[in-house]
Structure formats: structure tokens, C-alpha cells
Amino acid sequence: FPLENLPYGVFSRISENPSVQTVGVRIGDFVLDLVSLVSLDPSWIRGPLVGAQEAAEMFQCGSLNAFMSKGRPVWQEIRDALIEALADDGTWSRLRVDEVARSQTCIPADLVIMHLPAEIGDYTDFYSSKEHATNLGTMFRGPENALMPNWVHLPVAYHGRASSIIPSGLSIRRPRGQIKSDQESQPAYSATRLLDFELEMAFFIGPGNKLGNSIDIHHARDHVFGMVLMNDWSARDIQKWEYVPLGPFLGKNFATSISPWVITLEALEPFRVPAPIQSPDVLPYLQDSNLQGGRTTFDINLTVSLRTDKMNTAVVLCRSNFRHLYWTMEQQLAHHTSSGCNARPGDLLASGTISGNEPSSFGSMIELSWRGTKPVILPNGEERKFLMDGDEVIMHGFCISQDGSRRIGFGSCVAKVLPALESS
């Protein structure tokens, strides 16, 4: 978390009431309390778009929604002020010598509790990795029908459950639901036997659009505040029985984990790269080749690691990259609102599982074990087809420049699997 990153999050101090939540910025191993910073030295908020009092009100409300709603000019103004203030010759040089001021504003990261960064009103999960969609389609329909006819014409998605999105660090409970195997004539209600992770990323909406209006793809970036890591937990056996004809339900709605620090697009700009070529050409409202810089995405390295209850050290299961995604964030948002659907500040849009061409880049257990036919052998001799109780899944993400001189991280998205509750 160097100066070039400066991600935003919502935290409370371990030593205080956890309901007292405020907005902070991560820098190195510390969390900067923005409310305390404004109180300590209001002069760093110079405007002209936001004054010190308005900034304090935005940052002390316990979520990023108000700040997200302000739009890119305000985000840039605050970011520029933070960079100037934190630079070696910045206006907060007193923090390096004033122990009292430093203790009020700079909290060691291990002394805070991280919360969801926003009040998430709505959550949509896309299905934007061609490799992932092809892999799953091959498993269930055969290679000749792997992709559905609509897949290359629009970014497929479903509406998820915002209430069960949780911050990194909270454990998840193995869900129960209806399951019917191919060998059984009737379904049964039981705990899932095919619990899976899905390596994803997600972005938060900044300013929204009015109901009945749409967001033009050429302006979509101005509506994206920043990005987080996501684990879209999935119960494959529950999902298989229930998803026809309306899509996922209980197989997805029991938990979705996200990393707590929101990395802004401003921090990610140096890591823009060309996005995959699309064929056939998409409809005009989804064409993004004439955006500034052309059709682009971000070069974000991603890993998923697993630690079982018999392991001291986690082992990497897959290495993937955000740049693999066939559909870009601009296309996802433009399509989402093309019907006149209104997006609102704090809404969350997820990428779908991010898989690459190589088996080592597959972003889910169903792919890594190829639907359970190829168990994953762990270093200690354990095998995994799907996740077991006690397993801890750890996701990381980072960007690094070609010469290695600049690197920014997303932190981690971590959760442990707890046993299912006894059926009542």
C-alpha cells in the first residue's frame, strides 16, 4: 500500500465500540483516520469542490457511499490533497514528530477492524470470462455447445443477494439446500457436498443514473469508483438442481466475501493494458474500441491459496489475471443500464470467475478438479475435489509495472469454511 495506491475503506478501532465506524485510507502498515486528519489540520482540504466541513461529514458517516456519489473530480481533488499532504515535504510533516497527533490519526493496521466499505444496495454478478464459461459449458453440455449463442453478444449476468456480502475475515457457514444427484429419483434437503470458491473482482458504482436513463459506454468510467477482490462462494450441487430456468438462487446467496480496501481507478491507471479482441463485433452501444486509450482493461495479478486445518502454510491453487476477461467493466455497466435500470452509489458489480487458458489459472475448484474427476493433490498428501470444513481460502491481487519499480496491492480476501448447522 504505497503512496501511489491510497485505497479507501471503513474501519473501527479495536479499542473502541465497533459500531463507531469511519472512513480511512491505507498507507503502508497504517490506517489514516480521515476524520481525525481533517480535525487535526483542515487546511489540507483546499477545495474548490469540497471544503473541510463537508469532507468531515462525508468521512464520518460510516460508509463510502456519500464520497462515491461525488464523482471523479472530487475523488481526484481529495486524492491529490492526500498525496501532497503525505509526501515528504507535505503539510503533515508534523505527524512524523508529533506523537500525540500521530496516535490520533495513524493507527497500526492490526489494531483496526475492517467493515464493508459501502452500504451495498444492489449486487450483480457477471459471467465475463470466456475461458471459465467454456470450461463449465464443456463439462455440462459438451465442447460443441460450450458457449450459449448469446454469450459473445452481451455480458451475461444475474442479480445476487446484497445482504449476504461480507468483509474479508468473516467465516462462512456451509449451506443447506435441495440436492438431487443423477442417480436419485427425488431431491433431498442436506448440506452441500460440492462447496466451491470463485475467484472474482468487483467494482463499486460512484454516481448513478436516473431510472429510465442509461449510462453511455463512453462515460462509464466516470461512474466507477474502484475495485475489490471477491470470492463468490458457490454450492455446485444446490446450484445444479435449482438454476433452470431462472438461474442461481440458494447455491449462491449464502455468502459472498470481498476485500475491505477499495482500490481507485486513479491508482490503477498506470496498469491499463489492451483487452481481449472480441469476435464477432458487438452492437454499437457496447463498442468500446474508441474510448480514450482504446479498448482496455487492467493487468491485475490474482492468486487463490488454500490452507486446510492440517496445514500451517497455505498453498497456491491458481494464478490468474483480470486482463483475461472478455467483457470490460465499461461494457458491463453500459449493458446493465441499457434497459433504463438505475445504478446507485455503492452498488456492486462483479466480474464472474476469472480463469485463463492454462489449468493453473482456473479460478474455481470445479475447474481445477474438472468437476471432481481430477482431485487436486496438496503438498501434505491431502486431496481436494471441492472444499471441506475447516478449509481457509485466501485471495490476493496486485499490479506491478513492467520494470518492477511500481507495485500496488489489493490486500487479501480471506474466509474459513465452518460446518453446516444441524437441520431443524
Side-chain angles (χ1 to χ4, degrees), residues 301-369:
N301 298 281
L302 302 166
T303 63
V304 180
S305 300
L306 176 70
R307 179 166 46 231
T308 75
D309 55 9
K310 297 179 181 178
M311 298 168 61
N312 294 322
T313 304
V315 60
V316 175
L317 295 182
C318 83
R319 301 180 188 275
S320 192
N321 196 296
F322 184 75
R323 68 188 300 174
H324 295 323
L325 293 176
Y326 187 85
W327 296 100
T328 65
M329 292 189 293
E330 293 90 345
Q331 290 176 314
Q332 292 168 344
L333 184 54
H335 182 66
H336 198 311
T337 62
S338 63
S339 64
C341 173
N342 55 321
R344 296 175 295 184
D347 284 356
L348 193 66
L349 276 62
S351 63
T353 306
I354 305 170
S355 296
N357 287 316
E358 299 299 322
S360 60
S361 66
F362 293 169
S364 63
M365 285 302 299
I366 194 172
E367 293 172 275
L368 290 168
S369 71

Side-chain angles (χ1 to χ4, degrees), residues 389-401:
D389 294 345
D391 286 352
E392 185 178 50
V393 179
I394 306 148
M395 297 179 175
H396 287 102
F398 66 93
C399 302
I400 189 167
S401 60

Side-chain angles (χ1 to χ4, degrees), residues 196-200 229-234 255-258 387 393-395 413 415:
D196 203 352
F197 65 79
E198 287 191 342
L199 171 61
E200 301 195 21
L229 303 172
M230 172 179 281
N231 185 346
D232 178 28
W233 300 95
S234 302
T256 304
S257 301
I258 64 172
L387 298 173
V393 179
I394 306 148
M395 297 179 175
C413 181

Side-chain angles (χ1 to χ4, degrees), residues 124-159:
T124 300
D125 192 16
F126 285 87
Y127 191 50
S128 293
S129 165
K130 193 172 187 178
E131 293 80 4
H132 175 70
T134 299
N135 287 340
L136 265 63
T138 299
M139 291 179 204
F140 292 101
R141 294 184 297 273
E144 67 281 356
N145 296 308
L147 286 181
M148 300 300 285
N150 64 350
W151 199 93
V152 294
H153 294 280
L154 58 87
V156 174
Y158 73 94
H159 289 285

Side-chain angles (χ1 to χ4, degrees), residues 86-149:
L86 290 171
D88 289 340
D89 57 349
T91 56
W92 288 334
S93 58
R94 61 176 286 192
L95 293 180
R96 289 187 288 273
V97 296
D98 188 334
E99 185 175 345
V100 174
R102 189 168 63 250
S103 66
Q104 294 174 345
T105 57
C106 301
I107 308 104
D110 58 356
L111 296 182
V112 304
I113 299 170
M114 297 305 300
H115 304 275
L116 288 177
E119 296 178 4
I120 302 170
D122 282 296
Y123 156 52
T124 300
D125 192 16
F126 285 87
Y127 191 50
S128 293
S129 165
K130 193 172 187 178
E131 293 80 4
H132 175 70
T134 299
N135 287 340
L136 265 63
T138 299
M139 291 179 204
F140 292 101
R141 294 184 297 273
E144 67 281 356
N145 296 308
L147 286 181
M148 300 300 285

Side-chain angles (χ1 to χ4, degrees), residues 378-392:
L378 303 177
N380 65 352
E382 289 184 272
E383 295 184 359
R384 286 293 184 274
K385 297 177 182 179
F386 291 92
L387 298 173
M388 304 292 289
D389 294 345
D391 286 352
E392 185 178 50

Side-chain angles (χ1 to χ4, degrees), residues 49-108:
L49 299 178
V50 176
Q53 181 175 347
E54 183 181 3
E57 292 173 354
M58 280 193 308
F59 297 142
Q60 68 186 4
C61 63
S63 78
L64 283 165
N65 294 65
F67 185 42
M68 289 173 170
S69 71
K70 295 298 182 180
R72 177 142 285 111
V74 169
W75 304 338
Q76 189 66 60
E77 180 175 284
I78 295 296
R79 178 177 172 83
D80 290 343
L82 281 167
I83 290 174
E84 179 180 349
L86 290 171
D88 289 340
D89 57 349
T91 56
W92 288 334
S93 58
R94 61 176 286 192
L95 293 180
R96 289 187 288 273
V97 296
D98 188 334
E99 185 175 345
V100 174
R102 189 168 63 250
S103 66
Q104 294 174 345
T105 57
C106 301
I107 308 104

